[in-house]
Amino acid sequence: VGHPEIFPLVFTTKTQEIFNCRVGEDVTEENCFKLIKKEDIIQDLKTRAAISDFHPIKKVVLEYPGEELMVVFDAKLQYGQSFYLVASEEAKENLLKPPETAEEEKHDDEEGTLEFHPYKPPVPKPWVSLGSEKEVEEESVKETVPKIKYMISRVRTNFGAPIAFTDRNASQVEDSYTEYTSYQDTAFSIQMLLKDVGIQMAPKVREASTQTKWTYQKNAATQYFPREFSNEEKEESLSSTKFKEFLASVHLRMEIALQQNEIMNAFFDDWKALGEEERSSDGKPNVYLKAHQSFTDPRYLKDRTISCVCWHPTVYGIIAVSAKERLSNEDRVNLSDKSLLQESVIIFWSIFDPIHPQLMLECPEDIYCFQFGPRDPNIIAGGCINGQIVLWDISQHEEKLQNVKPVADEVKTTAANVVNASFLNILQYSCMSAGKNGEVQQSSTEPPLVRYCAVSSIQHSHKKPVTDMHWLVDYFQDSQINVTFENRDEICMQLVTCSPDCSVLFWDIPATILPQKPSSENVKEKENFRIRLDVPDTSMLLDLCWEPLVKVLCTNTEQKDQMYLSCIPDKMKPRNALQLLTAERPCTEMSTSNKNLKVLESMSTGFFVGTEGGEIVYSDWKVETDSDSARAVNTQKYTIHTETINTLQRSPFFKDIILSIGGRNFAIWEEGVTNGPILQSSCSAGRYTAGHWSLTRPGVFFIGREDGNIDIWDLVKKTYEPSHFQNISKSMITFISPWIASPKQHFLAVSDDLGVLHVLEICQTLSYPLKNE
């Protein structure tokens, strides 16, 4: 160990006799060295081969440069065996002639004759790494952040121009002298927890602190003894009229405070008490979204994303979805021919039949949003990608939607055959929809296709896709003179739309498409002349001639950002029935009818919009003189989100509370509060893509993310993080829509980017409101 030139050996009695190195006779502890010729060892290796005791070090013997090898008797077993072989000439010389003996001989030679020894420079030895370069590499400082490069240049026209220098007083010229005083930046006041340093010695220190933190040095004094009144001063103060009046004024309040301390716990956590919730047997809350049904269509939803989802307001279990191309604007321009091949429809499904659509609405272009009419759900309005507004009338198919029967009532299958039956139905539906040559044909089981009955004028519509729309309240009737009137006819229907072209349009629903009670003459006439279902029963003059009533331009916005409308602020109690407008041309007859109508002064004409840049804008609109358009005034902008606002919705319980979702955070606003949101979340791990308030709990809302998860926020329980999250799909969530089926059954419709609609059942914990919520 530590001597690479020494090799321990075990010599048998036979080997000791061959090489005359018998222990106690030839070699002893005093005379322990034995020189053996190299030729004799090689001969022994040839004779006895592997039996020879030199066989383990055969290579060392053959490579030894000298003629004689030294074998040393190790009586103290220093190297573990009785003998060891010295495999270097230098070590052999050192053992035969120790350094002391060599120094004595040298000293004797120096006494006799002085010899001159020439200088021999040291010979460099090869570097043997012991790991020090790794420590140097770890302690060295390296630049990990790339350097920022700046290039400063001047205008080319100024090259070679003469320069004239003048003197001026910096204090008299604006923005020519700026003083930068030092200050403490809290953003960089980081407390260091651990630091790796090398210290040889350090002075002893002692930490001490006081209750008072001195911001700057100043003279101060400390009072060690309290100052007390004398007996005369005490008697005078207690008997004074001022002291008696003070006791009389605070006596009643003090008694009430003492009584309250006795009857209630001052340390009771009210916020924690609000979070009462039902718990399971293992102590965890029952918060979940149970999968109830899923819908998809291999023909109309293939390679498309669902853009909007709406539950039918009156028919149980009917849900409608619209889809759009999963392409960017640039791809849509380049692949315009391809997009035309895909037929755009709004599909109606029933939760009782997940295989076959019940109804389909023909669309001229891809639909970004649509809404059922508030008074008559048979009237449906939708916004197209090209900015047009489309209307449908499904009154002829209302009876079909109401008579949808559950699949279980028609075909009874066991639980094991449910999956197989679903796949067979899908295959059967696909085969019946496709012809022999691959052409799409309408089979007998295919749902009816309803054609739209009115389309707005392209010239007067939005210039970009309609991103959101809302129906106006029932008692509210808009006009072109910057005021809102009461509606005595109770048949008014108006809607408002918004688009990235920075315009908000107010539309009047034409009376020609409104459903009317059929008279006996009309019934006889329709019996004699039947009209096809795919032909709209409306005036042909209305199609492509429908114009908006008022156009509001958001001219105060600095950038042409995409806008998502929330709704018109509601500051009055709505009526039970929403109203439709009967005037054929409200734009022309409004001036005469408004004379006898009462102006609603308490109605606000303000509205919220969310932009593509993440801004929340609240503004009022004012009609321009001698023009059909209006402009936004009193605009207030708030920058909270960093990306496009995809959800801007009022609370169903509080009309002045608004939820905005965009980017990686959400915010809750209160109308009338101008200093920002009343609640703002921190950045989440994933990007938010959709959201919706709960219809039964004021403090609960659902947010969909781009990774397919849904965050369930319960503000009564937590405000800093979602109370629960659940994975719904492997793709992005595009739309969320809740529905109350019954007091004990609540559903949540969630669509994804793959064209699949998931219907989830909401648990009771998220359905029933808590006490005092």
Side-chain angles (χ1 to χ4, degrees):
V1 178
H3 301 280
E5 68 276 0
I6 293 178
F7 297 91
L9 296 174
V10 178
F11 281 0
T12 60
T13 307
K14 182 67 174 177
T15 304
Q16 295 178 8
E17 292 178 356
I18 294 174
F19 296 97
N20 296 325
C21 55
R22 293 183 292 270
V23 178
E25 298 180 2
D26 300 327
V27 291
T28 59
E29 187 175 356
E30 293 79 9
N31 187 17
C32 58
F33 305 103
K34 183 67 176 180
L35 295 175
I36 303 176
K37 294 183 178 181
K38 180 179 178 180
E39 297 178 356
D40 297 339
I41 297 176
I42 295 174
Q43 186 63 31
D44 182 68
L45 290 172
K46 294 180 180 180
T47 304
R48 296 196 296 172
I51 304 176
S52 175
D53 295 334
F54 291 97
H55 186 268
I57 58 172
K58 178 179 179 181
K59 185 177 180 181
V60 177
V61 174
L62 295 177
E63 294 178 356
Y64 187 75
E67 296 180 358
E68 291 182 345
L69 286 82
M70 176 181 287
V71 177
V72 182
F73 171 64
D74 192 0
K76 298 181 180 180
L77 301 178
Q78 182 180 0
Y79 297 102
Q81 301 295 340
S82 57
F83 291 88
Y84 61 85
L85 177 69
V86 180
S88 67
E89 290 288 333
E90 183 179 359
K92 183 174 69 174
E93 294 296 332
N94 291 336
L95 291 175
L96 293 177
K97 295 181 179 181
E100 297 180 357
T101 307
E103 288 180 1
E104 291 179 358
E105 294 179 356
K106 182 177 181 181
H107 183 67
D108 295 340
D109 295 340
E110 288 178 356
E111 291 180 354
T113 58
L114 295 176
E115 297 182 358
F116 176 76
H117 298 281
Y119 171 76
K120 295 181 179 180
V123 180
K125 297 181 180 179
W127 166 258
V128 179
S129 174
L130 299 179
S132 59
E133 71 277 1
K134 185 177 181 181
E135 296 179 1
V136 174
E137 182 71 18
E138 293 177 353
E139 295 296 334
S140 61
V141 180
K142 296 182 178 180
E143 295 183 359
T144 57
V145 180
K147 294 182 178 180
I148 302 176
K149 297 181 180 179
Y150 291 96
M151 184 182 68
I152 302 175
S153 61
R154 62 188 304 182
V155 183
R156 187 169 184 84
T157 56
N158 295 335
F159 286 176
I163 302 176
F165 296 96
T166 58
D167 297 334
R168 64 178 181 179
N169 191 353
S171 60
Q172 297 178 357
V173 182
E174 185 180 358
D175 298 334
S176 62
Y177 174 75
T178 306
E179 181 181 0
Y180 294 94
T181 58
S182 62
Y183 66 96
Q184 183 180 3
D185 192 353
T186 58
F188 296 94
S189 298
I190 303 174
Q191 184 179 2
M192 186 174 297
L193 301 180
L194 181 63
K195 184 178 182 180
D196 186 9
V197 296
I199 301 176
Q200 292 184 351
M201 65 176 297
K204 295 182 179 180
V205 296
R206 179 173 62 89
E207 295 183 358
S209 61
T210 59
Q211 185 178 3
T212 305
K213 294 183 179 180
W214 301 99
T215 57
Y216 54 91
Q217 295 182 355
K218 64 180 180 179
N219 296 330
T222 305
Q223 180 183 348
Y224 289 92
F225 299 98
R227 293 177 295 177
E228 298 180 353
F229 287 160
S230 61
N231 295 331
E232 293 79 6
E233 292 175 342
K234 291 180 181 179
E235 293 179 359
E236 182 182 358
S237 177
L238 294 176
S239 60
S240 63
T241 306
K242 185 178 180 181
F243 182 73
K244 293 179 181 179
E245 293 177 354
F246 169 74
L247 291 179
S249 63
V250 301
H251 178 266
L252 181 60
R253 286 184 291 170
M254 196 65 185
E255 284 187 353
I256 295 176
L258 292 175
Q259 291 177 1
Q260 290 179 350
N261 290 337
E262 292 294 332
I263 65 177
M264 64 178 296
N265 184 12
F267 300 98
F268 182 74
D269 191 353
D270 297 326
W271 184 268
K272 186 177 181 180
L274 291 176
E276 299 176 357
E277 56 188 6
E278 298 182 1
R279 296 182 178 270
S280 58
S281 58
D282 57 354
K284 298 182 178 179
N286 293 320
V287 180
Y288 61 88
L289 298 174
K290 182 180 178 181
H292 181 79
Q293 196 62 265
S294 62
F295 303 89
T296 187
D297 190 275
R299 176 181 174 184
Y300 296 103
L301 298 181
K302 184 179 180 181
D303 298 332
R304 295 169 70 86
T305 178
I306 296 179
S307 58
C308 187
V309 179
C310 289
W311 292 90
H312 199 287
T314 57
V315 182
Y316 182 88
I318 298 298
I319 184 172
V321 298
S322 63
K324 62 180 180 179
E325 288 286 347
R326 197 162 55 240
L327 298 173
S328 61
N329 294 333
E330 182 179 358
D331 294 338
R332 182 174 294 277
V333 173
N334 298 332
L335 303 177
S336 57
D337 297 337
K338 180 180 178 181
S339 61
L340 293 176
L341 296 177
Q342 186 74 19
E343 186 178 359
S344 298
V345 295
I346 296 179
I347 304 177
F348 284 70
W349 269 306
S350 173
I351 60 175
F352 302 124
D353 188 0
I355 305 300
H356 305 93
Q358 305 301 318
L359 187 66
M360 289 190 298
L361 307 182
E362 182 183 359
C363 307
E365 294 287 345
D366 286 349
I367 298 297
Y368 268 54
C369 58
F370 68 94
Q371 292 287 338
F372 287 91
R375 178 181 174 88
D376 187 359
N378 292 326
I379 300 298
I380 303 173
C384 297
I385 186 176
N386 61 352
Q388 288 181 293
I389 307 300
V390 189
L391 291 178
W392 294 270
D393 182 8
I394 61 172
S395 56
Q396 299 180 1
H397 306 275
E398 183 180 6
E399 184 177 357
K400 172 180 172 56
L401 297 179
Q402 294 177 352
N403 296 332
V404 178
K405 295 182 180 180
V407 179
D409 296 343
E410 300 177 359
V411 181
K412 295 184 179 180
T413 58
T414 60
N417 295 330
V418 170
V419 178
N420 296 332
S422 300
F423 281 106
L424 290 175
N425 291 334
I426 293 175
L427 293 175
Q428 180 181 2
Y429 176 69
S430 302
C431 294
M432 296 178 69
S433 301
K436 297 181 179 180
N437 299 328
E439 298 179 355
V440 178
Q441 298 179 355
Q442 185 172 355
S443 62
S444 59
T445 60
E446 192 171 351
L449 182 64
V450 180
R451 181 177 172 81
Y452 48 88
C453 56
V455 183
S456 63
S457 171
I458 299 179
Q459 181 181 0
H460 298 89
S461 300
H462 291 287
K463 306 306 178 184
K464 292 185 179 181
V466 180
T467 54
D468 201 2
M469 63 168 45
H470 287 273
W471 296 93
L472 300 185
V473 290
D474 54 341
Y475 55 85
F476 171 85
Q477 181 171 311
D478 206 348
S479 68
Q480 293 182 336
I481 57 174
N482 199 27
V483 292
T484 55
F485 294 94
E486 65 175 350
N487 190 359
R488 296 176 182 177
D489 298 333
E490 297 187 359
I491 49 175
C492 173
M493 181 175 287
Q494 293 182 346
L495 57 89
V496 56
T497 60
C498 68
S499 175
D501 59 356
C502 291
S503 64
V504 179
L505 303 184
F506 293 83
W507 303 82
D508 250 337
I509 303 301
T512 54
I513 68 167
L514 299 180
Q516 301 176 358
K517 295 182 180 179
S519 59
S520 58
E521 297 179 358
N522 293 335
V523 172
K524 292 180 180 180
E525 183 179 355
K526 287 186 177 181
E527 289 179 355
N528 297 331
F529 181 73
R530 294 184 177 272
I531 301 177
R532 293 176 53 189
L533 295 180
D534 58 346
V535 178
D537 187 10
T538 182
S539 175
M540 296 302 296
L541 298 178
L542 176 65
D543 200 11
L544 297 178
C545 298
W546 186 21
E547 299 180 6
L549 180 67
V550 178
K551 182 177 182 181
V552 181
L553 298 177
C554 296
T555 56
N556 291 337
T557 54
E558 298 177 358
Q559 298 178 355
K560 301 292 185 178
D561 293 337
Q562 185 176 2
M563 287 191 262
Y564 288 83
L565 184 66
S566 171
C567 61
I568 298 298
D570 188 359
K571 295 186 178 179
M572 298 179 61
K573 295 182 180 180
R575 299 176 182 174
N576 296 329
L578 298 175
Q579 304 157 343
L580 303 176
L581 186 66
T582 56
E584 182 175 357
R585 295 297 296 170
C587 296
T588 57
E589 299 182 4
M590 186 65 69
S591 59
T592 59
S593 61
N594 287 343
K595 295 180 181 180
N596 299 325
L597 294 180
K598 179 182 178 182
V599 178
L600 301 179
E601 298 179 355
S602 60
M603 172 61 69
S604 172
T605 56
F607 56 91
F608 282 89
V609 292
T611 67
E612 193 175 25
E615 292 182 346
I616 300 295
V617 181
Y618 178 74
S619 61
D620 203 344
W621 60 274
K622 182 179 181 181
V623 176
E624 297 283 356
T625 58
D626 300 333
S627 175
D628 293 338
S629 63
R631 60 182 178 89
V633 295
N634 301 327
T635 302
Q636 299 174 2
K637 295 189 297 183
Y638 307 94
T639 304
I640 299 297
H641 307 278
T642 58
E643 298 181 21
T644 303
I645 306 296
N646 53 66
T647 301
L648 194 60
Q649 184 188 25
R650 288 188 182 271
S651 171
F653 299 91
F654 309 101
K655 297 303 180 182
D656 57 345
I657 299 297
I658 296 144
L659 172 67
S660 65
I661 302 174
R664 296 180 180 269
N665 62 341
F666 71 89
I668 297 180
W669 310 77
E670 182 178 0
E671 189 174 357
V673 178
T674 59
N675 56 355
I678 60 177
L679 178 63
Q680 179 183 355
S681 69
S682 59
C683 292
S684 64
R687 184 176 288 103
Y688 292 151
T689 56
H692 204 286
W693 286 100
S694 173
L695 300 180
T696 55
R697 288 195 55 186
V700 174
F701 52 90
F702 309 93
I703 299 181
R705 302 194 312 189
E706 63 177 353
D707 55 0
N709 292 336
I710 285 185
D711 290 346
I712 304 174
W713 286 82
D714 188 354
L715 300 182
V716 177
K717 184 178 179 182
K718 296 179 182 179
T719 58
Y720 58 92
E721 65 178 359
S723 61
H724 186 72
F725 72 93
Q726 184 172 338
N727 182 264
I728 304 300
S729 173
K730 63 179 181 180
S731 63
M732 178 180 64
I733 303 297
T734 59
F735 206 88
I736 297 178
S737 178
W739 177 56
I740 302 177
S742 64
K744 295 184 179 180
Q745 194 174 30
H746 298 213
F747 291 107
L748 186 70
V750 180
S751 62
D752 58 18
D753 195 45
L754 298 178
V756 181
L757 177 64
H758 307 268
V759 177
L760 311 172
E761 186 174 356
I762 306 175
C763 62
Q764 295 183 358
T765 305
L766 299 175
S767 301
Y768 297 121
L770 304 179
K771 185 179 180 181
N772 298 327
E773 183 174 357

